[in-house]
């Protein structure tokens, strides 16, 4: 009877130990896979972050050469000056066109 109890105890101990070891291996493998995934995601994130920081550096460098508010004010003033000059020229050409029409009309309707 003592041998049966010892055999059953050893069998039960072996069963519990095997299942405990299997559960431990499951947790270790699950943890390893999770760490691998996190490591891969971290690497991808760092690579994207490097790309974004390079793009940002290029934008900051290019923005140094962009016109500022004072430059835009000067450009706007010069465009206004050109608009005024074109308006004056338009008026002069309208007057010259009327004069040419009068000369043309006079020459066509001139009676000899």
């Amino acid at each position: 009877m003592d041998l049966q109890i010892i055999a059953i105890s050893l069998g039960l101990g072996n069963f519990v130990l095997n299942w405990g070891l299997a559960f431990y291996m499951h947790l270790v493998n699950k943890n390893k896979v999770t760490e691998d995934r996190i490591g891969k995601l971290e690497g991808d994130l760092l690579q994207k972050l490097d790309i974004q920081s390079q793009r940002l550096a290029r934008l900051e460098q290019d923005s140094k050469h962009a016109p500022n508010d004072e430059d835009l004010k000067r450009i706007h003033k010069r465009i206004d000056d050109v608009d005024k000059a074109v308006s004056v020229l338009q008026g002069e050409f309208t007057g010259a066109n009327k004069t040419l029409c009068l000369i043309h009309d006079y020459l066509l309707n001139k009676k000899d």
Side-chain angles (χ1 to χ4, degrees), residues 42-55:
E42 185 180 18
D44 291 344
L45 183 62
L46 288 175
Q47 182 181 11
K48 288 178 182 179
L49 185 61
D50 286 343
I51 291 170
Q52 292 299 328
S53 64
Q54 290 172 359
R55 290 179 66 198

Side-chain angles (χ1 to χ4, degrees), residues 47-108:
Q47 182 181 11
K48 288 178 182 179
L49 185 61
D50 286 343
I51 291 170
Q52 292 299 328
S53 64
Q54 290 172 359
R55 290 179 66 198
L56 182 61
R58 281 196 308 267
L59 285 173
E60 288 173 345
Q61 187 66 29
D62 290 345
S63 71
K64 291 178 183 176
H65 304 293
N68 59 21
D69 287 342
E70 292 301 317
D71 294 334
L72 292 175
K73 287 177 185 176
R74 284 195 316 262
I75 291 170
H76 192 273
K77 184 183 177 308
R78 291 181 70 190
I79 289 174
D80 286 344
D81 293 343
V82 169
D83 181 50
K84 289 176 187 174
V86 168
S87 294
V88 168
L89 287 174
Q90 181 183 8
E92 289 177 3
F93 280 122
T94 302
N97 185 33
K98 287 184 181 179
T99 303
L100 283 175
C101 285
L102 288 173
I103 292 172
H104 184 259
D105 187 46
Y106 173 78
L107 291 175
L108 284 177

Side-chain angles (χ1 to χ4, degrees), residues 12-26:
L12 185 61
N14 188 22
F15 176 78
V16 170
L17 184 63
N18 281 335
W19 276 103
L21 186 61
F23 184 69
Y24 173 76
M25 292 298 292
H26 169 72

